[in-house]
Every structure is written in structure tokens, then in C-alpha cells.
Amino acid sequence: MSHQAHTVAVRASGVDMFFGTPENQVVALKQADFEARRGELIMLVGPSGCGKTTLLSVIAGTLTPQAGTVEVFGQRLDGLGQEELTSFRRKNLGFVFQSFNLIPTLSVVENVMVPLLIQGRPYDEAQARALAIIEKVGLKGREEGRPNALSGGQQQRVAIARALVHEPPLLICDEPTSALDKDTGAHIMELVRDLSRSPERCVVVVTHDHRIFRFADRIAEMEDGRISRVVDDPKLLDTSHL
Amino acid sequence: MYRLALNMLFGDRAKLAMLLCGLAFSALLMAQQSSVFFGIMSWTYTPMVNIRAQVWVSDPMVEQVNDAKPLRDTDLGRVRSVDGVAWAAPLHTSFVQARMQDGNFKLITLVGIDADTFAGAPAVLTQGRIEDLRLPDTVIVDEWGASLMGRMGVGPDGKPRSTPLKVGDTFEINDIQARIVGICKVRRAFTGGPFVYTTYDRAKGYTLGARRTLSFMLVEPQKGVTPAELCGRIERDTGLKAWTSDTVIWSWGERSLARNTFWWFWTNTGIPFSFGTAVLLGLFVGIAISGQTFYSFVLENLKYFAAIKAMGAGMGVIARMLFVQAFTAGLIGFGLGAGMAQAIGRAMIEKGMPPFVMFPQILWATFALVLGISFVSAVIGIIKVSRVDAASVFRG
């Protein structure tokens, strides 16, 4: 096995994804290639409708592409059945959503426990681990409160805790700062970077928010359903159209 | 996940209250209407409960206890001669008009019992003595009847009275005086009239010497002979119809007069249809309210279920979560509804209102139907969640 194979966390090659009927087809991804490395935080950027979210869904295994291959931590996703994909997500993925998606009728700690309970972990163990990570994201004392009683930044911290509580190798963040102000967004990204920085983990962030580009190790720019270029320095990006 | 599923359910108190209201109302309607129905239906065989005897003998054409077809007095001797009969006593039942002191008439159920054995006499007397029925022109009236007829009487001051009839009061049956020597406690009947007990011979007089006055014969089997066995012998030897006094209407005993009476009313009246409609209404209202509320609960949580799906929960886990939520609501709703039905029933009985019989079977059936409603509600929710794409969580 080559050194490159060891370092690649996510690889998508020649991915096609279409929506709609053959007569009224919308091309979301066209021969898209993407690669993310272990230990890095990579951002997917581009104008609205360029296919960022679709590519993210393909990597997350919630969408199956019509063509191409997707490999996440050595596991080929194309060809897996729905049950195998579900099981793959359960073990390997953590999600941070744009609108947090915290269940309002559950307490903070219960929300964080969800991925562990989905894995079938005992309630007490899930609770203990959830409490530990809630402390790490700086919300000690708010465990029993409802998410609606928290600020946007605090809610996103809960979402990050939920995404990382089961220690997934791949963390997927969809517009994690779009609902937050500049300072809160920066704090959230610091948190994501600090908590997820590990040689065995990869973080893929889809964002429009150029204020957080500085947190990325690399930035992949998308255009018309494919990756147009990948840069190491955000200053090299033309952000006027983002 | 089930604990979280329950917390999700209990966390949304407004939705939960609505859901429980629907289920409880449905359970209440089904349990209460069924209990009133069976209560009223149990009144149809009231004579079997009030007049206790192990075997009843009737004309072969009799189908139910309220429709006696007179026998000849000589039939009594024929029955007494059947092998296995310990004793047989005559019984007269008929509906006659009683004339009250204020001139009003009231339809009563006249029961004539054997003056020697008092077979068929009421078991509980709240006033007077049964032996006093041997005195001339005497009757025993049931408590409810005494109250009903009392309101039609005239007091010593000549004004309408409001107190129940008591021992010593009089009224007339077919212009013959009836003097009350006892007040008894018996179950009310479907036919509505008060029970007036007298002796068999006096009943003949009250019915103006009708040619045949023997309605039924009450028979006791000898030791070692079962009622069913004796019924067979009586039918074989006399050609009359013999019935057991079993009042368990759920039994399949062909010889139970109570059961035959119950099913006669079931098939020949509109009562089951009327109450059945109310029970069905309860079921449909339950499905409509609970299904709709649970569906809206699922709709409100749809994006969270999508997120849970994206995080790796299979549809099996989510389906079980929804079943746990629906069945928990069903269980609580059933408890509330059945409890309210019981409370209403007790209040009705205390006020002497229409009957209320809540068989365990009614509770079980209501429980099953409420769980059925919960099942339908859960399935509607599961269908909705199964159609949600896990990828939708990335669409904002």
C-alpha cells in the first residue's frame, strides 16, 4: 500500500449526480473528483448551486451517485446497500448541520447522547460520555437545559459535541457558521479545529462564509458540479462570487 | 433510544395533551357506551336474576323470559312426576295496570309465587316479612317501584305525595285492593314497570281469572342431578321446554334462558345497532384525532428524524421509537378513558340511572381498540418518516 493510500481519508472520483426526470434533468455533479486527507480540515466552497451540498451528501453516504466511486477511510461506498450505508454512517460519521437540528424536546445531554444510543450503547455509558464532551465544549452546567434556552453559538457547540461524542473518523459540517455572528462563528471554528484535530480524523466543511476560511488546511473550490481548484492559502481565492 | 423517544413525546406537552384527549375520549366513548349497552341488555333477563331457581320450565314456543306463553296448571303435576325433580313450584308473570290513589294508572310486572314454598320470592326485603304475603290482598313492591308509585299517590292531607310507598299503603289492581306488606330490593327490568309480588293464587284473581295463568314452573333438581340433565329429562317426558338459570351470557349453553333472552333482544331490536354506532363513532373519532395529532407530531419532528436517519439510525429503530411513543400515549389514553368511564358508571349507579355493566371483556376490547388506534397512528407516522430522505438534512 502506498504512502498516499495511508493519508487519504476521502476520495471521490468521476462522480455524476443528476436530479429530476430525463427530460428535465438538473446536473448537480459532473465528473467530480475530490480528495481529503487524514488529519486535515478541508473546506468546500463555491457559489450557490455549484454542487457543494450534493458532494457532501455523496461523501456522507446519504446520496448514492449515478456514476463514479466514493471511498471513505478505505471503505468503498458505491455499491453498498442502504442498510450497509446506514451502518457505515453510524460508525464513521459525525454531522454538524447549518440549522443545528437539535431536538427541542430533549435536554442538551440527551441530544448529545443520540449518536451513542443509535450505536446501541447503554444509556448510562452514553450519558457519561455526553457529559464529558459537553464539558469540553464549555457548556458545563447547561446539560439539563433545553436547546431553545441556549444562544445560537451555544446550540452549535451542542451540535459539535453531538457530532464528536462517538469519535467518528469523518466529521461533516454543513454551513456551521451561517447562522452565527462573526465572533461566535470564529469561536465555533476554533472549537471544531481543536476538538477534531487528530491524525486519524478528517473534517469536511461546506461553507459560504469567507470569514472562516483561515481555519482550513486546504480549500476546494467548486464550480458547475466539479472541483475547479484546491488551494492551501485562502488569500489565493477570489471570494467575490461566494 | 426508547427512553429518548418517550422524552420526545413527553417534552411536547401541548401535542401530548391533544393526543391523550383524543385517545381518552375514544376509550371513554367505547367503554362507556359498551357498558351502558350491556347494562341495558342485562336488564332484559332481569326476571332470571330476581327469581332464583335452578331450572325454569316453559311452553315449548317460548323464546325469551319476558314473553311467557301460559301453561295449563296440570302441567305442574307432569313436571313434578319427572324422575330427578325435588320440587316444582308455579310462577305467574304478567303485565297489568295498577291504579294509584290519585287515579293514575301504572303498568306493573305482577309476579305470583307459590304461597307454600315462596319459591321465586325476592331475596332481600328492606321492609316487612315474606310470610305476610299469606294475608289477604297483600303484595310486596320493589324499592324502585315503591318510589315511582309513591310519586303518583296522595298523602293524608289529600295533596300529591313525594315519598315512596311503604308498608301499609294500598293501591288497586283490576279494582282489587293490594295492600303492601313488604318492600324488596330487586334488579330493575328492561320492561320498566315496578315488580309487584303476590301469591300465585292471588295473582289469578288480579288477572281477572284468565284461563291459563301458569307462566313458568320453577324446578329444583334432586341431589346428584345436574340442571342440564334434568332439563333433558323434563323435555323428553313432558314435551315442555326446560331452561337452566345460568346468567352468563357469554356461555354457549343452549339451555340458558338468560342467554337466549339476551340474544333475542340482540337480533330482534335496534339496540345493538344504536350502541354499536356509538362505539364505532368512538373508534373513528379516536383514529381521526389521534392519527391526525400523531401525524402532526411526526411532521413537526420530521427534520429531527431525518437527522437521526443521517446519523445512522435505521428505519427499524425509528419505527420502534414511533411505536413506543404511540403505544405509550395509547396506554395512558386508555387508562384515562376507562377511568372516566368507570367514574361515570359509578355516578350513574349511585343516582339509580340506567344500568352500567363493565365486563372485563369490555375493558380488554377497549384496550385492544385503543392500541389499534395507536398502531394506525404509528404506521401513518412511520410511512411519513420512511419517505424522508436522510440527505434532506443538508438542505437547510
Side-chain angles (χ1 to χ4, degrees), chain B residues 304-361:
Chain B
Y304 308 117
F305 281 119
I308 290 172
K309 266 174 110 171
M311 285 182 229
M315 260 322 287
V317 171
I318 292 172
R320 286 195 290 276
M321 284 174 75
L322 290 170
F323 274 126
V324 164
Q325 290 170 337
F327 283 134
T328 302
L331 213 62
I332 299 170
F334 165 75
L336 291 173
M340 283 192 283
Q342 265 293 3
I344 291 172
R346 278 176 190 276
M348 284 167 77
I349 289 166
E350 272 173 22
K351 285 188 183 288
M353 300 248 310
F356 187 89
V357 177
M358 192 181 266
F359 290 118
Q361 287 93 332

Side-chain angles (χ1 to χ4, degrees), chain A residues 1-12 34-38 59 69-78 80 85 88 92-93 169-170 199-202:
Chain A
M1 202 176 277
S2 69
H3 173 70
Q4 196 190 13
H6 279 299
T7 59
V8 171
V10 179
R11 178 182 286 140
F34 173 76
E35 197 176 278
R37 299 173 196 145
R38 291 170 193 247
I59 294 167
T69 60
V70 181
E71 194 179 315
V72 179
F73 284 93
Q75 168 74 57
R76 284 277 295 268
L77 299 191
D78 48 296
L80 291 185
L85 280 172
F88 174 80
N92 299 291
L93 267 63
L170 179 59
E200 288 311 310
R201 181 171 288 145
C202 172

